[in-house]
mmCIF file of all heavy atoms in Angstrom:
data_model
loop_
_atom_site.group_PDB
_atom_site.id
_atom_site.type_symbol
_atom_site.label_atom_id
_atom_site.label_comp_id
_atom_site.label_asym_id
_atom_site.label_seq_id
_atom_site.Cartn_x
_atom_site.Cartn_y
_atom_site.Cartn_z
ATOM 1 N N ARG A 633 1.235 -17.347 -4.408
ATOM 2 C CA ARG A 633 2.189 -18.026 -3.547
ATOM 3 C C ARG A 633 2.418 -19.442 -4.058
ATOM 4 O O ARG A 633 1.490 -20.113 -4.509
ATOM 5 C CB ARG A 633 1.668 -18.085 -2.113
ATOM 6 C CG ARG A 633 1.368 -16.722 -1.502
ATOM 7 C CD ARG A 633 0.799 -16.892 -0.112
ATOM 8 N NE ARG A 633 0.238 -15.642 0.389
ATOM 9 C CZ ARG A 633 -0.438 -15.531 1.523
ATOM 10 N NH1 ARG A 633 -0.650 -16.601 2.262
ATOM 11 N NH2 ARG A 633 -0.906 -14.365 1.927
ATOM 12 N N VAL A 634 3.659 -19.909 -3.944
ATOM 13 C CA VAL A 634 4.009 -21.242 -4.406
ATOM 14 C C VAL A 634 3.177 -22.304 -3.701
ATOM 15 O O VAL A 634 2.631 -23.216 -4.330
ATOM 16 C CB VAL A 634 5.513 -21.512 -4.184
ATOM 17 C CG1 VAL A 634 5.840 -22.985 -4.420
ATOM 18 C CG2 VAL A 634 6.354 -20.631 -5.099
ATOM 19 N N THR A 635 3.068 -22.216 -2.380
ATOM 20 C CA THR A 635 2.363 -23.247 -1.614
ATOM 21 C C THR A 635 0.894 -23.341 -2.003
ATOM 22 O O THR A 635 0.340 -24.441 -2.107
ATOM 23 C CB THR A 635 2.487 -22.963 -0.109
ATOM 24 O OG1 THR A 635 2.050 -21.612 0.155
ATOM 25 C CG2 THR A 635 3.917 -23.115 0.361
ATOM 26 N N GLU A 636 0.260 -22.197 -2.234
ATOM 27 C CA GLU A 636 -1.147 -22.197 -2.609
ATOM 28 C C GLU A 636 -1.350 -22.802 -3.997
ATOM 29 O O GLU A 636 -2.289 -23.574 -4.226
ATOM 30 C CB GLU A 636 -1.703 -20.775 -2.566
ATOM 31 C CG GLU A 636 -1.775 -20.195 -1.157
ATOM 32 C CD GLU A 636 -2.271 -18.759 -1.159
ATOM 33 O OE1 GLU A 636 -2.399 -18.176 -2.256
ATOM 34 O OE2 GLU A 636 -2.525 -18.232 -0.061
ATOM 35 N N LEU A 637 -0.450 -22.464 -4.928
ATOM 36 C CA LEU A 637 -0.561 -23.012 -6.283
ATOM 37 C C LEU A 637 -0.312 -24.516 -6.293
ATOM 38 O O LEU A 637 -0.991 -25.260 -7.005
ATOM 39 C CB LEU A 637 0.432 -22.309 -7.204
ATOM 40 C CG LEU A 637 0.146 -20.836 -7.524
ATOM 41 C CD1 LEU A 637 1.302 -20.246 -8.331
ATOM 42 C CD2 LEU A 637 -1.164 -20.678 -8.274
ATOM 43 N N ALA A 638 0.650 -24.963 -5.498
ATOM 44 C CA ALA A 638 0.942 -26.392 -5.438
ATOM 45 C C ALA A 638 -0.267 -27.175 -4.941
ATOM 46 O O ALA A 638 -0.612 -28.236 -5.480
ATOM 47 C CB ALA A 638 2.152 -26.638 -4.537
ATOM 48 N N ALA A 639 -0.928 -26.651 -3.902
ATOM 49 C CA ALA A 639 -2.112 -27.324 -3.376
ATOM 50 C C ALA A 639 -3.259 -27.291 -4.378
ATOM 51 O O ALA A 639 -3.987 -28.278 -4.548
ATOM 52 C CB ALA A 639 -2.533 -26.660 -2.061
ATOM 53 N N GLU A 640 -3.418 -26.172 -5.051
ATOM 54 C CA GLU A 640 -4.528 -26.024 -6.006
ATOM 55 C C GLU A 640 -4.385 -26.975 -7.192
ATOM 56 O O GLU A 640 -5.361 -27.592 -7.630
ATOM 57 C CB GLU A 640 -4.584 -24.587 -6.498
ATOM 58 C CG GLU A 640 -5.682 -24.340 -7.521
ATOM 59 C CD GLU A 640 -5.740 -22.885 -7.961
ATOM 60 O OE1 GLU A 640 -5.066 -22.035 -7.332
ATOM 61 O OE2 GLU A 640 -6.455 -22.602 -8.938
ATOM 62 N N PHE A 641 -3.155 -27.097 -7.712
ATOM 63 C CA PHE A 641 -2.951 -27.909 -8.911
ATOM 64 C C PHE A 641 -2.532 -29.344 -8.598
ATOM 65 O O PHE A 641 -2.381 -30.162 -9.505
ATOM 66 C CB PHE A 641 -1.909 -27.256 -9.818
ATOM 67 C CG PHE A 641 -2.366 -25.955 -10.428
ATOM 68 C CD1 PHE A 641 -1.825 -24.748 -10.020
ATOM 69 C CD2 PHE A 641 -3.360 -25.937 -11.400
ATOM 70 C CE1 PHE A 641 -2.245 -23.554 -10.572
ATOM 71 C CE2 PHE A 641 -3.788 -24.741 -11.956
ATOM 72 C CZ PHE A 641 -3.240 -23.553 -11.543
ATOM 73 N N GLY A 642 -2.335 -29.639 -7.307
ATOM 74 C CA GLY A 642 -1.981 -31.001 -6.929
ATOM 75 C C GLY A 642 -0.613 -31.441 -7.406
ATOM 76 O O GLY A 642 -0.410 -32.602 -7.780
ATOM 77 N N VAL A 643 0.350 -30.509 -7.407
ATOM 78 C CA VAL A 643 1.722 -30.813 -7.817
ATOM 79 C C VAL A 643 2.674 -30.353 -6.714
ATOM 80 O O VAL A 643 2.269 -29.734 -5.733
ATOM 81 C CB VAL A 643 2.080 -30.116 -9.151
ATOM 82 C CG1 VAL A 643 1.196 -30.632 -10.283
ATOM 83 C CG2 VAL A 643 1.942 -28.595 -9.026
ATOM 84 N N SER A 644 3.942 -30.658 -6.873
ATOM 85 C CA SER A 644 4.930 -30.300 -5.854
ATOM 86 C C SER A 644 5.301 -28.821 -5.934
ATOM 87 O O SER A 644 5.100 -28.166 -6.966
ATOM 88 C CB SER A 644 6.198 -31.134 -6.042
ATOM 89 O OG SER A 644 6.843 -30.783 -7.248
ATOM 90 N N ASP A 645 5.860 -28.302 -4.836
ATOM 91 C CA ASP A 645 6.372 -26.934 -4.832
ATOM 92 C C ASP A 645 7.418 -26.745 -5.924
ATOM 93 O O ASP A 645 7.475 -25.695 -6.572
ATOM 94 C CB ASP A 645 6.985 -26.598 -3.476
ATOM 95 C CG ASP A 645 5.945 -26.379 -2.387
ATOM 96 O OD1 ASP A 645 4.741 -26.594 -2.661
ATOM 97 O OD2 ASP A 645 6.335 -25.984 -1.273
ATOM 98 N N MET A 646 8.270 -27.763 -6.129
ATOM 99 C CA MET A 646 9.326 -27.657 -7.135
ATOM 100 C C MET A 646 8.746 -27.496 -8.538
ATOM 101 O O MET A 646 9.263 -26.724 -9.352
ATOM 102 C CB MET A 646 10.221 -28.893 -7.091
ATOM 103 C CG MET A 646 11.410 -28.832 -8.038
ATOM 104 S SD MET A 646 12.474 -27.387 -7.714
ATOM 105 C CE MET A 646 13.118 -27.850 -6.100
ATOM 106 N N THR A 647 7.649 -28.194 -8.816
ATOM 107 C CA THR A 647 7.011 -28.058 -10.131
ATOM 108 C C THR A 647 6.499 -26.635 -10.343
ATOM 109 O O THR A 647 6.682 -26.043 -11.416
ATOM 110 C CB THR A 647 5.842 -29.054 -10.253
ATOM 111 O OG1 THR A 647 6.355 -30.382 -10.197
ATOM 112 C CG2 THR A 647 5.091 -28.857 -11.572
ATOM 113 N N ILE A 648 5.870 -26.077 -9.310
ATOM 114 C CA ILE A 648 5.378 -24.698 -9.411
ATOM 115 C C ILE A 648 6.541 -23.728 -9.575
ATOM 116 O O ILE A 648 6.470 -22.773 -10.369
ATOM 117 C CB ILE A 648 4.538 -24.334 -8.171
ATOM 118 C CG1 ILE A 648 3.260 -25.174 -8.120
ATOM 119 C CG2 ILE A 648 4.202 -22.847 -8.174
ATOM 120 C CD1 ILE A 648 2.325 -24.980 -9.299
#
Side-chain angles (χ1 to χ4, degrees):
R633 302 177 192 173
V634 169
T635 53
E636 292 177 351
L637 291 174
E640 179 178 350
F641 292 109
V643 297
S644 67
D645 286 6
M646 184 58 67
T647 296
I648 294 299

